[in-house]
């Protein structure tokens, strides 16, 4: 794939249906962090009865996440980010998660 323009790049089925939505979920969880924390705290406090006691927190979390999942602008942002990561990988051969790790300062 020699396409350098992100608009011209053709994405595979697995990229549009699996990898980009995975990136969207990760970013949406970061954006809804307060609701994620509230739901986690409720689950830890409630134990086995979390199904009944945490309904309010669960519905608030679902509403926040669904808002981002259904947003076409958010999808395009994640798609462009994915394409950029893919192009960087094709150029360098190093996955983005390995590029973000800091190198040790002393050996």
């Amino acid at each position: 794939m020699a396409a350098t323009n992100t608009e011209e790049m053709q994405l595979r089925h697995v990229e549009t249906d699996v990898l980009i939505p995975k990136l969207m979920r990760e970013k949406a969880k970061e954006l809804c962090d307060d609701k994620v924390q509230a739901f986690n705290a409720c689950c830890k406090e409630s134990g086995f009865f979390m199904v009944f006691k945490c309904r309010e927190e669960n519905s608030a979390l679902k509403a926040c996440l669904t808002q981002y999942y259904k947003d076409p602008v958010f999808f395009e942002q994640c798609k462009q980010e994915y394409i950029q990561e893919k192009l960087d990988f094709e150029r360098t051969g190093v996955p983005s998660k390995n590029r973000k790790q800091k190198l040790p300062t002393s050996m």
Side-chain angles (χ1 to χ4, degrees):
M1 270 189 197
T4 56
N5 189 351
T6 58
E7 297 298 324
E8 296 173 5
M9 180 172 276
Q10 294 293 322
L11 295 176
R12 297 175 298 153
H13 170 69
V14 72
E15 292 173 321
T16 57
D17 293 345
V18 177
L19 298 175
I20 294 174
K22 179 183 175 186
L23 181 62
M24 289 176 69
R25 280 190 301 275
E26 292 170 359
K27 293 178 82 59
K29 282 183 183 177
E30 291 174 8
L31 294 169
C32 297
D33 187 53
D34 56 333
K35 293 174 180 49
V36 171
Q37 296 297 331
F39 180 69
N40 286 341
C42 179
C43 289
K44 287 179 183 175
E45 292 170 3
S46 302
F48 182 71
F49 298 105
M50 70 180 170
V51 175
F52 306 107
K53 292 185 177 180
C54 300
R55 285 184 180 164
E56 185 178 321
E57 290 85 351
N58 187 25
S59 57
L61 176 60
K62 280 184 182 178
C64 183
L65 293 175
T66 304
Q67 165 193 348
Y68 288 108
Y69 295 159
K70 293 183 177 183
D71 184 8
V73 175
F74 185 66
F75 177 81
E76 274 302 313
Q77 290 173 348
C78 292
K79 178 180 169 184
Q80 294 303 319
E81 183 178 329
Y82 174 80
I83 290 172
Q84 189 59 47
E85 287 178 7
K86 182 177 178 178
L87 290 173
D88 289 345
F89 174 74
E90 289 175 354
R91 184 175 43 81
T92 63
V94 179
S96 65
K97 62 182 174 186
N98 291 348
R99 270 196 310 271
K100 293 177 183 174
Q101 293 176 352
K102 293 186 176 182
L103 295 173
T105 54
S106 61
M107 296 236 166

